[in-house]
Amino acid sequence: ATPTSIMVGTGRAAESGILFKGGEHLERTHQLEAIVLDKTGTITKGKPEVTDFTGDEEALQLLASAEKGSEHPLAEAIVAHATEKDLAFLDVDDFTAIPGHGIVAQIAGKQILVGNRKLMLDHQIEIEGAEEVLVGYETSGKTAMLVAIEGTYRGIVAVADTIKETAPEAIKQLKELGIDVVMLTGDNERTAQAVAKQVGIDQVIAQVLPEEKADKVKEIQSQGKKVAMVGDGVNDAPALVTADIGIAIGTGTEVAIEAADVTILGGELLLLPKAISISHATIRNIR
Ligand code: ADP
Ligand code: MG
């Protein structure tokens, strides 16, 4: 590989907002066979909004107050919703985030749980009657969270995140370049499938705990494939490091950007097929 053509290639990429940390990453991008995309913030805009809440106002006040301590995009959506409704936030005495499951908080002597089925199961909360409603939200691509106060189920809060407008086109172009496209998410299977369908992805790995994301990347590598991982969150950093190419999407966290080999500015997914095309054009010139 001539250093000059690599420099021209990374320069061209940089003009489009694709920042390679070094020329070797451009060469490795040329060999990619699979791309794993995180769902929230990568395929979707990462700005979810509350669409439904089945509980009463007291439950909403407690759950929103509890979520104030979380930096998760789902929590931000709930806090914004309660703020719009002019609900007062209560002081939180204790708060624990359980990655991939939800949160547990203590407010005014009451225990508040917000999260998925697993969180409720772990705390032995009866959620009978909730299942059908949950499935309804999930089938339409919403993320539904269960709320329990003092051990009693109190409702479901559903949140929807819109897909990036250019996601379907970007995924189509990646497939045309012969790349396997996989969605990876901690969200539940049904929600993930609904979102995947909207953007034209047919390989979905859902309900993956943050610490398991890197293992999923390794599994694809063990099939003999060169894999890129694209993500934005703190949780994605180990998977970005594990992948043959780690790609941080520009609106992402510092942690993700540091862990990545490539940064895509502004979160534009069309820059993914573009990066691959540039690598092909560059390597062609070298050989
Ligand atoms: P993602 O892959 O979309 O970033 P996460 O692994 O962060 O998903 O979360 C997986 C699931 O855990 C969420 O879909 C939600 O059900 C639950 N969860 C995580 N954080 C919270 C929170 N702050 N409040 C309620 N539920 C949460
Ligand atoms: Mg995420």
Side-chain angles (χ1 to χ4, degrees):
T2 77
T4 315
S5 47
I6 292 283
M7 258 179 63
V8 172
T10 53
R12 251 192 77 198
E15 281 166 24
S16 319
I18 305 160
L19 309 182
F20 285 92
K21 276 192 191 160
E24 71 273 23
H25 302 306
L26 182 68
E27 293 191 78
R28 255 189 293 135
T29 298
H30 173 68
Q31 300 161 352
L32 284 180
E33 295 162 291
I35 285 198
V36 180
L37 301 164
D38 174 52
K39 177 173 75 71
T40 311
T42 300
I43 293 171
T44 68
K45 290 180 181 165
K47 298 257 175 285
E49 286 179 18
V50 172
T51 54
D52 310 82
F53 180 56
T54 65
D56 60 21
E57 197 155 295
E58 186 213 8
L60 181 61
Q61 186 180 35
L62 287 168
L63 104 95
S65 301
E67 289 285 13
K68 245 195 158 165
S70 166
E71 281 162 11
H72 202 283
L74 292 170
E76 285 172 22
I78 292 167
V79 170
H81 179 72
T83 306
E84 257 171 47
K85 294 200 144 221
D86 277 331
L87 287 184
F89 289 90
L90 305 169
D91 287 339
V92 178
D93 301 316
D94 193 42
F95 173 87
T96 315
I98 304 161
H101 292 153
I103 58 160
V104 183
Q106 285 286 336
I107 298 174
K110 288 179 178 155
Q111 184 205 53
I112 325 292
L113 301 169
V114 193
N116 57 18
R117 292 177 183 82
K118 182 70 172 44
L119 183 76
M120 297 297 142
L121 194 68
D122 290 346
H123 288 82
Q124 285 139 17
I125 311 291
E126 282 285 346
I127 55 162
E128 254 161 67
E131 189 57 32
E132 204 178 318
V133 185
L134 273 178
V135 170
Y137 290 138
E138 290 166 355
T139 308
S140 60
K142 294 175 182 173
T143 300
M145 292 156 280
L146 298 144
V147 183
I149 299 168
E150 284 291 277
T152 306
Y153 163 68
R154 293 286 293 272
I156 299 172
V157 56
V159 160
D161 194 359
T162 41
I163 61 164
K164 293 180 181 170
E165 280 87 8
T166 54
E169 176 60 24
I171 284 148
K172 184 169 150 258
Q173 289 184 17
L174 286 170
K175 286 180 170 176
E176 283 166 2
L177 287 163
I179 308 282
D180 276 358
V181 183
V182 181
M183 177 195 284
L184 184 65
T185 180
D187 214 335
N188 87 92
E189 180 76 36
R190 227 174 272 113
T191 306
Q193 289 288 355
V195 174
K197 201 169 163 206
Q198 285 179 50
V199 296
I201 294 180
D202 24 50
Q203 300 183 61
V204 174
I205 310 174
Q207 275 155 256
V208 179
L209 292 175
E211 66 268 24
E212 294 169 347
K213 283 190 174 175
D215 293 337
K216 296 296 169 187
V217 170
K218 273 189 210 144
E219 275 174 33
I220 300 170
Q221 286 171 324
S222 70
Q223 299 163 10
K225 286 184 180 144
K226 293 273 185 251
V227 182
M229 168 77 203
V230 189
D232 71 320
V234 181
N235 290 346
D236 302 324
L240 291 174
V241 173
T242 301
D244 297 285
I245 295 282
I247 304 176
I249 206 99
T251 46
T253 57
E254 282 303 317
V255 186
I257 292 169
E258 249 168 59
D261 307 307
V262 185
T263 297
I264 300 277
L265 296 179
E268 176 49 65
L269 290 177
L270 283 170
L271 293 179
L272 294 171
K274 179 140 200 182
I276 293 171
S277 300
I278 291 174
S279 79
H280 286 322
T282 307
I283 307 302
R284 225 181 359 250
N285 284 341
I286 292 167
R287 292 204 176 126

